[in-house]
């Protein structure tokens, strides 16, 4: 009898192949006390391990074929940079000397301290960066323990056509495994926002994460079917089931071919309404992925990244160079730079006034609240963004606005800085659009006011849903309540779109909802004309746009917005989406 296991599908596609179990999950280490005369020897052993780990990563990087895209090598560069960071490379040495303990234990203590900081972070994306820390630390631990378990060291023929099952995979593992011919992978840990999940989507490897205990239930060498869209792994399938999935695999390939053809086709509805599809980016290199999808611009550039994984705060000049680099990579298309969305929970090593314990970080001193409190943090960023605007179409966007004073304070600060730059002879665009993210219910309810003072608004549904429904967006326990179709959420979105229309300013959506093709028609019917999303979703959303008629959608969407009954909402959405091929309900 067949057996189906489920996890989180993070990269679409059907794969059929032999399971290959990779054993290198969590590494257990114990503390040993060293006699004083062996401490320096242990320090050297640790230094040597870091050196070897670096050599390993460099060698993997060199093995990436020339035609592999730049952003993929960048994932490995991130790990190389972490190895150079004092937090990882130097702090364990102090611990070995202070505690007279073994290197493995010192590294474990350091890892626990870093992970604790990451776990308190409120932003899902930044929180999942702790996976990177784990990957780098595990690599050093493996060297210290003389553990050669790394994919791609041996048995490479064995991996051809395999579906890899592992506790966790690093981005480096993923690249290596792909070159060794694996057709899909499953991990027991990790989330949909991890670098490995993002990489799987970029490399188009069907993948599932968070499938707990998969390596216990499936045998090595057993034939399995993986559905990366539904997040399902099937073992012991009979001939009928195999045939069904072979057919689906063929359809999936055809679907992908059709989607690729859309890249250079404009996003226009059947009744000729042009829709603007843009991308969200976090790192300058992400622009390459956005460009490959022929994006119309960047609707959300999350600048927090520049401030993470370092012990100082980037100054104006560094920020200016970085923003200019992103703008240049976009070759004339608009760049929306979001000002810092750090908060009390999101510690940066350089330190800021938000570095304090806070019982409810999502409601604390974060984003614009923090920036207005700490002008030494905010002013250099505003200056850098304004200076970048001299070179092309830059828009500035303020996160987490919740009241009029914040908005008016930002506008007055921007005017003050323009005056300063003028006096110093710096170039900038005096009309650089200033927009606000509408991600707090209070801002959505006051959207008519905000629309009068802003040049554009962008709906951040990730936070808007969190705050409207009072559910922590990264808490698995309440994840089932996270519902973009809740009537209260839809009403707030509608209010923002209508406020933008009346004020004559553009309204974009940049939360995850904008990149989910299940909601594209609903949003089009509500009047949304600008979407910003992860590059991997762009063609799928475009395909839906191109098959939609705003005129036909209008009455159905009106009915959906009028009802409060979840079942009616769901059935009307099914009717609206009836003729399109959509990912399975997450
Ligand atoms: C949002 O809240 O929808 C958003 C896009 O911002 P972030 O996910 O960075 O909080
Ligand atoms: Mg947000």
């Amino acid at each position: 009898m067949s057996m189906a296991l489920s996890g989180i599908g993070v990269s679409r596609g059907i794969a059929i192949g032999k399971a290959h179990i990779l054993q290198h999950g969590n590494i257990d280490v114990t503390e040993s006390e060293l006699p004083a005369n062996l401490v320096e020897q242990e320090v050297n052993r640790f230094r040597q391990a870091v050196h070897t780990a670096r050599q390993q990563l460099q060698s993997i990087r060199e093995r990436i074929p020339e035609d592999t895209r730049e952003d993929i090598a960048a994932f490995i560069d991130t790990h190389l940079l972490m190895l150079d960071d004092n937090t990882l490379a130097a702090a364990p040495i102090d611990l070995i000397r202070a505690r007279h303990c073994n290197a493995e234990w010192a590294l474990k203590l350091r890892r626990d301290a870093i992970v604790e900081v990451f776990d308190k972070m409120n932003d899902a994306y930044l929180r999942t960066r702790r996976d990177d820390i784990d990957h780098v630390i595990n690599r050093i631990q493996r060297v210290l323990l003389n553990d050669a378990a790394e994919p791609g060291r041996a048995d490479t023929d064995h991996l051809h056509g395999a579906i890899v099952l592992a506790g966790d995979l690093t981005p480096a593992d993923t690249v290596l495994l792909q070159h060794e011919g694996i057709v899909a992978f499953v991990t027991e840990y990790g989330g949909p926002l991890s670098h490995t999940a993002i990489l799987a989507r970029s490399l188009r490897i069907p993948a599932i994460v968070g499938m707990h205990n998969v390596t216990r239930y499936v045998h090595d060498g057993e034939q399995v079917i993986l559905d990366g869209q539904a997040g399902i792994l099937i073992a012991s399938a009979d001939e009928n089931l195999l045939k069904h999935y072979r057919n689906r695999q063929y359809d999936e390939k055809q679907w992908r071919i059709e989607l690729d053809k859309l890249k250079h086709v404009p996003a226009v509805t059947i009744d000729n309404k042009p829709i603007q599809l843009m991308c969200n980016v976090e790192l300058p290199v992400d622009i390459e992925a956005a460009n490959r999808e022929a994006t119309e611009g960047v609707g959300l550039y999350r600048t927090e990244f520049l401030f993470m994984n370092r012990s100082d705060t980037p100054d104006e000049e560094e920020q200016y160079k970085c923003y200019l680099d992103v703008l240049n990579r976009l070759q004339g298309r608009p760049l929306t730079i979001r000002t810092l969305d750090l908060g009390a929970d999101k510690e940066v090593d350089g330190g800021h006034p938000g570095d304090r314990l806070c019982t409810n970080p999502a409601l604390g001193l974060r984003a614009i609240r923090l920036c207005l409190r700490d002008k030494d943090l905010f002013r250099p960023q505003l200056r850098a963004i304004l200076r970048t605007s001299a070179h092309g179409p830059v828009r500035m966007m303020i996160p987490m606005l919740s009241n009029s004073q914040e908005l008016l304070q930002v506008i007055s600060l921007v005017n003050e800085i323009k005056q300063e730059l003028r006096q110093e002879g710096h170039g900038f665009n005096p009309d650089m659009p200033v927009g606000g993210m509408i991600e707090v219910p209070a801002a959505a309810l006051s959207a008519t006011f905000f629309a009068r003072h802003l040049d554009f608004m962008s709906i951040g549904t990730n936070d808007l849903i969190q705050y409207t429904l009072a559910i922590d967006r990264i808490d698995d326990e309440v994840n089932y309540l996270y519902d973009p179709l809740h009537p209260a959420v839809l009403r707030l979105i509608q209010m923002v779109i209508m406020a933008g229309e009346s004020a004559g300013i553009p309204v974009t959506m940049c939360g995850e909802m904008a990149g989910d093709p299940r909601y594209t028609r609903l949003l089009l019917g509500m009047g949304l004309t600008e979407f910003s999303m992860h590059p991997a979703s762009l063609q799928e959303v475009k395909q839906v746009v191109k098959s939609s008629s705003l005129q036909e959608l209008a009455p159905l969407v009106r009915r959906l917005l009028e009802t409060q009954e979840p079942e009616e909402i769901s059935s009307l959405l099914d009717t609206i989406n009836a003729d399109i091929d959509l990912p399975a309900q997450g």
Side-chain angles (χ1 to χ4, degrees):
M1 209 173 66
S2 66
M3 171 183 73
L5 299 169
S6 70
I8 309 167
V10 291
S11 180
R12 184 177 169 146
I14 307 281
I16 302 171
K18 290 222 160 44
H20 178 93
I21 299 179
L22 268 187
Q23 303 281 12
H24 67 250
N26 284 339
I27 295 166
D28 285 331
V29 294
T30 47
E31 180 173 15
S32 340
E33 205 180 316
L34 304 173
N37 64 333
L38 292 184
V39 166
E40 283 314 302
Q41 201 174 313
E42 192 66 1
V43 165
N44 284 339
R45 191 168 78 89
F46 175 75
R47 287 204 175 110
Q48 185 55 42
V50 173
H51 178 70
T52 309
R54 189 177 297 114
Q55 281 178 329
Q56 284 180 353
L57 280 174
Q58 270 156 354
S59 125
I60 292 170
R61 204 185 184 291
E62 279 155 25
R63 281 154 70 189
I64 298 176
E66 299 229 326
D67 59 353
T68 308
R69 299 182 314 246
E70 204 182 314
D71 53 336
I72 290 171
F75 283 110
I76 294 170
D77 288 341
T78 309
H79 285 194
L80 276 166
L81 276 175
M82 283 183 184
L83 278 176
D84 289 334
D85 193 300
N86 276 348
T87 328
L88 273 190
I93 295 179
D94 297 340
L95 281 166
I96 297 172
R97 286 184 175 139
R99 296 176 65 109
H100 287 200
C101 66
N102 51 328
E104 291 88 340
W105 190 251
L107 192 56
K108 180 203 171 315
L109 291 180
R110 191 63 204 136
R111 181 242 172 225
D112 292 349
I114 301 172
V115 162
E116 199 184 315
V117 172
F118 270 80
D119 280 349
K120 283 198 211 127
M121 291 180 179
N122 190 39
D123 181 293
Y125 188 83
L126 295 178
R127 214 169 83 147
T128 52
R129 296 286 67 81
R130 71 164 259 190
D131 292 352
D132 290 305
I133 301 277
D134 262 340
H135 292 158
V136 172
I137 288 179
N138 279 349
R139 179 171 294 280
I140 308 173
Q141 292 285 27
R142 289 207 292 262
V143 176
L144 284 168
L145 297 165
N146 260 334
D147 177 358
E150 173 166 283
R153 290 268 172 102
D155 282 352
T156 49
D157 289 347
H158 202 64
L159 287 175
H160 195 83
I163 295 181
V164 164
L165 315 182
D168 196 5
L169 288 176
T170 67
D173 294 337
T174 312
V175 173
L176 278 182
L177 289 168
Q178 200 223 11
H179 289 300
E180 280 155 17
I182 69 154
V183 289
F185 71 80
V186 184
T187 63
E188 298 191 324
Y189 308 101
L193 299 173
S194 67
H195 268 159
T196 301
I198 296 169
L199 201 52
R201 288 193 285 275
S202 306
L203 293 170
R204 294 191 178 169
I205 309 173
I208 302 174
V209 300
M211 190 177 274
H212 300 290
N213 294 324
V214 62
T215 53
R216 271 206 239 154
Y217 293 116
V218 177
H219 305 294
D220 199 55
E222 187 178 0
Q223 186 179 53
V224 287
I225 301 169
L226 179 145
D227 181 342
Q229 179 175 306
I232 288 175
L233 186 77
I234 302 170
S236 313
D238 61 23
E239 208 27 65
N240 278 341
L241 203 56
L242 274 169
K243 197 168 156 213
H244 167 77
Y245 275 98
R246 280 196 195 104
N247 289 339
R248 282 204 43 204
Q249 197 174 27
Y250 174 81
D251 293 345
E252 192 70 24
K253 279 192 184 135
Q254 295 307 113
W255 174 82
R256 187 62 77 184
I257 291 169
E258 290 306 311
L259 219 54
D260 280 345
K261 288 186 193 154
L262 288 181
K263 276 191 187 164
H264 298 284
V265 174
V268 181
T269 63
I270 292 176
D271 40 358
N272 283 324
K273 175 81 183 164
I275 304 297
Q276 196 176 17
L277 302 185
M278 295 177 289
C279 286
N280 296 348
V281 298
E282 275 87 28
L283 294 167
V285 287
D286 293 341
I287 298 286
E288 305 312 320
N291 280 342
R292 272 195 306 279
E293 301 301 332
T295 185
E296 291 181 63
V298 166
L300 166 63
Y301 170 31
R302 291 180 165 104
T303 53
E304 296 79 62
F305 244 91
L306 194 53
F307 291 71
M308 305 298 294
N309 293 326
R310 56 189 295 164
S311 52
D312 59 344
T313 304
D315 63 10
E316 174 186 330
E317 216 47 40
E318 184 182 342
Q319 292 188 55
Y320 169 62
K321 282 191 187 127
C322 178
Y323 304 154
L324 192 56
D325 175 36
V326 175
L327 182 69
N328 288 338
R329 287 172 191 251
L330 270 171
Q331 297 164 357
R333 283 161 296 166
L335 169 64
T336 312
I337 306 178
R338 178 173 77 180
T339 60
L340 269 176
D341 193 7
L342 289 174
D345 58 315
K346 295 175 191 161
E347 225 173 282
V348 281
D349 290 346
H352 56 67
D355 289 352
R356 62 187 176 86
L357 264 183
C358 174
T359 35
N360 218 332
L363 306 180
L365 192 64
R366 59 169 283 206
I368 191 58
R369 300 171 183 181
L370 172 66
C371 286
L372 286 173
R373 173 79 69 87
D374 183 358
K375 302 273 176 30
D376 290 343
L377 184 69
F378 200 25
R379 291 183 79 103
Q381 181 170 48
L382 293 182
R383 286 176 56 96
I385 296 173
L386 271 161
R387 285 174 57 197
T388 312
S389 74
H391 305 278
V394 170
R395 314 196 295 177
M396 185 173 94
M397 182 158 84
I398 317 296
M400 244 211 111
L401 286 170
S402 62
N403 64 47
S404 53
Q405 287 91 327
E406 283 166 349
L407 173 58
L408 299 178
Q409 259 181 287
V410 174
I411 293 174
S412 129
L413 192 58
V414 168
N415 287 336
E416 207 180 289
I417 287 176
K418 282 182 182 170
Q419 192 57 28
E420 225 172 71
L421 292 174
R422 220 171 264 126
Q423 277 163 6
E424 292 167 22
H426 283 298
F428 64 90
N429 170 12
D431 300 318
M432 178 188 73
V434 176
M437 286 192 70
I438 306 296
E439 45 186 353
V440 175
L445 291 162
S446 313
T448 43
F449 170 85
F450 282 96
R452 276 206 303 279
H453 293 274
L454 288 166
D455 298 310
F456 66 95
M457 295 188 288
S458 186
I459 309 173
T461 48
N462 306 343
D463 277 316
L464 184 63
I465 297 170
Q466 148 163 280
Y467 294 127
T468 307
L469 305 182
I471 35 152
D472 187 341
R473 66 193 247 193
I474 51 174
D475 184 343
D476 289 348
E477 296 293 327
V478 287
N479 204 20
Y480 72 102
L481 291 170
Y482 197 86
D483 181 12
L485 294 178
H486 191 296
V489 172
L490 295 179
R491 195 161 294 176
L492 291 175
I493 293 174
Q494 195 188 22
M495 287 176 83
V496 181
I497 296 173
M498 283 164 58
E501 265 171 21
S502 327
I505 63 162
V507 174
T508 310
M509 179 178 284
C510 63
E512 291 301 304
M513 192 176 177
D516 190 330
R518 280 176 294 180
Y519 308 123
T520 307
R521 282 189 173 167
L522 170 61
L523 295 169
L524 287 172
M526 289 169 80
L528 192 75
T529 55
E530 292 185 15
F531 298 65
S532 188
M533 66 200 77
H534 186 280
S537 308
L538 204 129
Q539 306 314 329
E540 269 183 76
V541 170
K542 192 191 283 180
Q543 193 178 45
V544 179
V545 167
K546 287 181 57 55
S547 68
S548 306
S549 151
L550 297 188
Q551 272 169 16
E552 280 172 28
L553 283 177
L556 283 167
V557 170
R558 211 175 302 124
R559 266 176 57 202
L560 188 150
L561 295 175
E562 274 162 10
T563 177
Q564 298 271 338
E565 300 298 330
E567 272 164 27
E568 203 181 340
I569 291 179
S570 159
S571 112
L572 278 164
L573 191 69
D574 285 346
T575 312
I576 288 169
N577 288 334
D579 60 317
I580 50 181
D581 173 25
L582 288 171
Q585 296 285 329

